[in-house]
């Protein structure tokens, strides 16, 4: 995508992330109990992201070991994904920075997808119940 976004779209995009962050902080401040996982609610199976909300909450409060127990994949794949997201956000909102688009190869995308699928299967096996989100 070489075409620059119109200014109004960049302003809206620039405001969207801070607004979403403010809403999440307000929700947590008001005692929000977190969101229920629709995959778990419908199937009783833990999805690859189950426990991520509690993991982020614990990490933001400095409880990293507890956070890792909720969902270790958040650290393994979530941190790089967040870095790519932030890079692309900055590239689109502030085109003057001259950031180049991030290219993710098909092989990497397939590998990440397969890793998440394997993670979902393994964490739902009875012998691997220790991988379920601690709770």
């Amino acid at each position: 995508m070489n075409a620059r976004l119109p200014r109004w779209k960049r302003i809206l995009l620039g405001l969207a992330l801070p607004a979403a962050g403010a809403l999440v902080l307000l929700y947590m401040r008001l005692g929000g109990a977190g969101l229920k996982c629709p995959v778990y609610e419908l199937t009783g199976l833990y999805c690859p992201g189950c426990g991520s909300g509690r993991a982020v909450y614990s990490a933001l409060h400095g409880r990293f070991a507890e956070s890792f127990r909720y969902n270790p994949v958040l650290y393994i794949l979530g941190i790089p994904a967040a870095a790519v997201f932030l890079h692309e956000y900055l590239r689109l909102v502030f085109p003057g920075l001259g950031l180049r688009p991030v290219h993710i190869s098909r092989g990497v995308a397939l590998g990440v997808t397969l890793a998440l699928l394997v993670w979902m299967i393994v964490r739902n096996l009875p012998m691997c119940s220790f991988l379920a989100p601690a709770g």
Side-chain angles (χ1 to χ4, degrees):
M1 181 173 140
N2 289 339
R4 285 176 46 154
L5 291 174
R7 182 179 301 228
W8 69 272
K9 284 186 178 179
R10 287 188 291 126
I11 290 171
L12 284 177
L13 184 62
L15 293 173
L17 188 63
L23 286 174
V24 167
L25 289 175
L26 179 63
Y27 175 73
M28 288 179 5
R29 193 76 164 141
L30 295 174
L35 302 172
K36 302 240 186 234
C37 175
V39 173
Y40 183 76
E41 290 295 313
L42 290 171
T43 66
L45 298 173
Y46 298 115
C47 77
C50 275
S52 293
R54 289 174 282 167
V56 170
Y57 183 84
S58 295
L60 290 174
H61 288 85
R63 299 187 306 260
F64 297 106
E66 177 182 303
S67 172
F68 191 80
R69 282 192 307 272
Y70 283 130
N71 194 339
V73 168
L74 189 64
Y75 286 87
I76 298 164
L77 296 176
I79 292 173
V84 169
F85 176 82
L86 180 62
H87 175 90
E88 289 300 301
Y89 174 81
L90 293 173
R91 182 180 70 82
L92 291 171
V93 175
F94 303 107
L97 293 175
L99 298 174
R100 300 168 107 180
V102 174
H103 173 72
I104 299 173
S105 70
R106 272 195 191 138
V108 169
L110 180 62
V112 168
T113 302
L114 289 174
L116 289 173
L117 183 60
V118 168
W119 169 244
M120 181 177 172
I121 292 168
V122 169
R123 79 186 312 202
N124 283 288
L125 294 173
M127 67 184 126
C128 297
S129 62
F130 62 93
L131 296 174

